[in-house]
């Protein structure tokens, strides 16, 4: 009798801490919001508002200024800089000028690079200090240097390459690297397009602009939709494009677990479970499938007179748990309408028999529990 009592006592202790791969079904109903201490609601899928399900995309606070903090009129500086390549052409309209001939009165002098000291060496006029000078100012100096050698000289200076007048585009684009700027005052979207475009959809792409020590980010969809976000670029700006495609995580008694990515707004709960391979037949309790979501909402702040304050919102995080009973055929129909959201967690619990089998296995292997006596053969 003592051995039987000891065995029962040990079984009770083991049952109190039965082995499991995750939370039990009852623990979901006892979950607390760590921020507020309040109960996290568990909503059956049949009671969920399918129309209010958020799309799977990158969300942002509308009050966040994003890239609009970088206000500039664009890269319209025509002054010459170190590394600029200029093309110089001399024209002499006189009949007996130095550059006049029977065939042509135009002499291309060639291309010249502004050196590290800000100078260029030109034929006939020698070394010229051009740093921070405009092409028009250099033309006048060339004409002045040719007087006496030419009857009526004219000069044309064109900037053909500005290696230092560019921005860097990196990250999830087809052709990362340096992108040149011109007098057209390129914007963020122009630079991304010149880099071959983003590798991911605009709604799931984050654009970060770095200018000196300042940095700001915004979704590409917002950059394309809001003109203040699509700011003009300046030389040496850095743009980093990040693929932030929405994803959901699968845990528990599914055939495949881990993180799965999906296109924005194009994945239902039924498709997500299918992406994970479905439930494990020998483990899962089909009536205990849970979806954990952190619902983020942005609400404008109203003043005392009821008017909305500009660029002011409150951010609310509200966790919620949805339960899907896949043994109910009506639930399977609803799963085809319920949209997944970015950051969702899918969890399938074990059936009671699975946990009992684990408990029995622990009991069999425990050295402190009495071994079962072999059956005694009946006497003849």
């Amino acid at each position: 009798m003592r051995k039987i009592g000891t065995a029962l006592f040990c079984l009770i202790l083991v049952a109190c801490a039965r082995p499991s791969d995750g939370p039990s079904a009852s623990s979901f109903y006892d979950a607390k919001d760590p921020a507020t201490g309040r109960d996290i609601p568990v909503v059956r899928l049949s009671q969920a508002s399918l129309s209010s399900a958020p799309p799977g995309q990158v969300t942002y606070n509308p009050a966040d200024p994003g890239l609009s903090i970088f206000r500039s009129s664009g890269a319209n500086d025509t002054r010459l800089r170190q590394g600029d390549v200029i093309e110089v052409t001399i024209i002499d309209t006189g009949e007996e000028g130095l550059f006049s001939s029977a065939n042509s009165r135009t002499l291309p002098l060639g291309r010249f690079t502004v050196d590290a000291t800000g100078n260029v060496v030109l034929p006939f006029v020698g070394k010229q200090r051009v740093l921070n000078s405009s092409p028009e100012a250099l033309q006048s100096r060339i004409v002045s240097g040719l007087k006496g050698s030419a009857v009526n000289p004219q000069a044309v200076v064109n900037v053909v390459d500005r290696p230092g007048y560019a921005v860097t585009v990196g990250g999830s684009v087809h052709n990362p690297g340096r992108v040149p700027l011109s007098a057209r005052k390129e914007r963020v979207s122009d630079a991304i397009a010149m880099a071959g475009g983003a590798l991911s959809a605009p709604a799931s792409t984050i654009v970060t602009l770095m200018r000196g020590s300042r940095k700001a980010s915004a979704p590409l969809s917002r950059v394309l939709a809001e003109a203040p976000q699509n700011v003009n670029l300046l030389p040496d700006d850095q743009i980093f494009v990040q693929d932030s495609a929405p994803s959901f995580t699968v845990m528990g008694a599914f055939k495949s677990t881990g993180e799965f990515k999906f296109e924005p707004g194009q994945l239902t709960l039924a498709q997500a479970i299918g992406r994970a391979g479905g439930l494990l037949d020998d483990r899962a309790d089909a009536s205990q499938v849970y979806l954990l979501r952190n619902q983020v909402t942005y609400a404008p702040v109203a003043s005392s007179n009821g008017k909305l304050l500009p660029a002011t919102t409150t951010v609310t995080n509200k966790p919620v748990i949805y339960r899907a009973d896949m043994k109910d055929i009506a639930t399977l129909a609803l799963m085809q309408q319920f949209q997944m959201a970015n950051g969702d967690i899918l969890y399938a619990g074990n059936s009671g028999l699975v946990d009992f089998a684990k408990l029995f296995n622990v009991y069999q292997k425990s050295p402190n529990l009495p071994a079962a006596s072999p059956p005694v053969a009946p006497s003849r």
Side-chain angles (χ1 to χ4, degrees):
M1 291 295 295
R2 178 175 295 181
K3 288 184 178 181
I4 296 176
T6 303
L8 290 175
F9 179 72
C10 292
L11 279 174
I12 293 173
L13 291 179
V14 174
C16 292
R18 61 181 182 177
S20 179
D21 291 339
S24 62
S26 60
S27 63
F28 282 94
Y29 291 87
D30 298 329
K32 303 286 185 181
D33 185 344
T36 63
R38 297 178 180 175
D39 292 336
I40 299 178
V42 179
V43 182
R44 286 185 173 271
L45 207 61
S46 58
Q47 300 173 343
S49 176
L50 303 180
S51 60
S52 63
Q57 63 182 21
V58 178
T59 59
Y60 62 90
N61 187 347
D64 182 1
L67 304 188
S68 64
I69 65 172
F70 298 106
R71 299 183 182 275
S72 68
S73 58
N76 57 356
D77 188 0
T78 60
R79 293 177 298 175
L80 297 174
R81 297 157 58 102
Q82 295 173 354
D84 286 357
V85 179
I86 60 175
E87 187 175 60
V88 182
T89 302
I90 303 298
I91 303 173
D92 191 354
T93 60
E95 294 293 335
E96 299 179 354
L98 176 64
F99 308 113
S100 299
S101 66
N103 297 325
S104 175
R105 298 181 181 180
T106 301
L107 177 64
L109 294 186
R111 295 186 175 187
F112 308 91
T113 302
V114 181
D115 61 24
T117 61
N119 299 312
V120 292
V121 179
L122 304 175
F124 306 109
V125 294
K127 180 185 289 189
Q128 298 291 319
R129 176 76 174 176
V130 298
L131 186 65
N132 293 326
S133 296
S134 66
E136 293 76 16
L138 179 57
Q139 290 175 177
S140 300
R141 290 161 61 183
I142 293 174
V143 170
S144 299
L146 291 175
K147 285 184 178 179
S149 301
V151 178
N152 190 18
Q154 296 181 15
V156 178
V157 176
N158 292 316
V159 180
V160 295
D161 191 15
R162 311 194 75 177
Y165 213 67
V167 298
T168 303
V169 182
S172 298
V173 292
H174 286 89
N175 302 306
R178 299 274 292 177
V179 173
L181 298 178
S182 66
R184 294 191 298 269
K185 302 181 180 180
E186 285 82 0
R187 296 178 178 270
V188 173
S189 61
D190 298 323
I192 295 176
M194 287 187 286
L199 294 174
S200 53
S204 59
T205 301
I206 297 295
V207 178
T208 300
L209 176 60
M210 291 163 281
R211 180 175 295 170
S213 59
R214 304 179 71 192
K215 180 172 69 173
S217 300
L220 180 56
S221 57
R222 187 183 186 188
V223 173
L224 298 176
E226 301 178 18
Q229 298 295 322
N230 198 13
V231 297
N232 294 107
L233 296 172
L234 295 179
D236 299 325
D237 280 352
Q238 299 180 60
I239 299 174
F240 185 78
V241 180
Q242 180 182 4
D243 179 4
S244 297
S247 64
F248 65 97
T249 304
V250 178
M251 305 172 65
F254 285 96
K255 291 181 180 179
S256 297
T257 58
E259 183 182 10
F260 297 82
K261 291 187 176 182
F262 62 96
E263 291 299 320
Q266 297 182 357
L267 192 75
T268 64
L269 177 57
Q271 292 172 323
I273 294 177
R275 186 81 64 85
L279 301 175
L280 289 170
D281 296 336
D282 57 346
R283 280 184 49 191
D285 182 352
S287 66
Q288 303 293 334
V289 177
Y290 296 92
L291 185 145
L292 292 77
R293 172 175 294 170
N294 184 36
Q295 294 187 159
V296 181
T297 57
Y298 302 99
V301 177
S303 61
S304 56
N305 58 6
K307 294 183 178 180
L308 298 180
L309 299 177
T312 305
T313 60
T314 57
V315 182
T316 304
N317 293 277
K318 183 180 179 181
V320 62
I321 301 173
Y322 295 97
R323 178 187 172 186
D325 182 358
M326 294 180 61
K327 292 183 179 181
D328 183 2
I329 190 64
T331 299
L332 296 178
L334 292 174
M335 287 166 52
Q336 295 178 312
Q337 305 175 46
F338 190 91
Q339 292 289 329
M340 296 291 291
N342 185 33
D344 282 351
I345 298 177
L346 274 177
Y347 179 83
N350 290 336
S351 66
L353 290 177
V354 171
D355 288 339
F356 176 78
K358 290 182 179 181
L359 172 63
F360 184 75
N361 188 44
V362 170
Y363 168 73
Q364 291 281 48
K365 294 181 178 180
S366 176
N368 297 322
L369 295 179
S373 301
V376 179
S379 58
R380 295 184 179 178

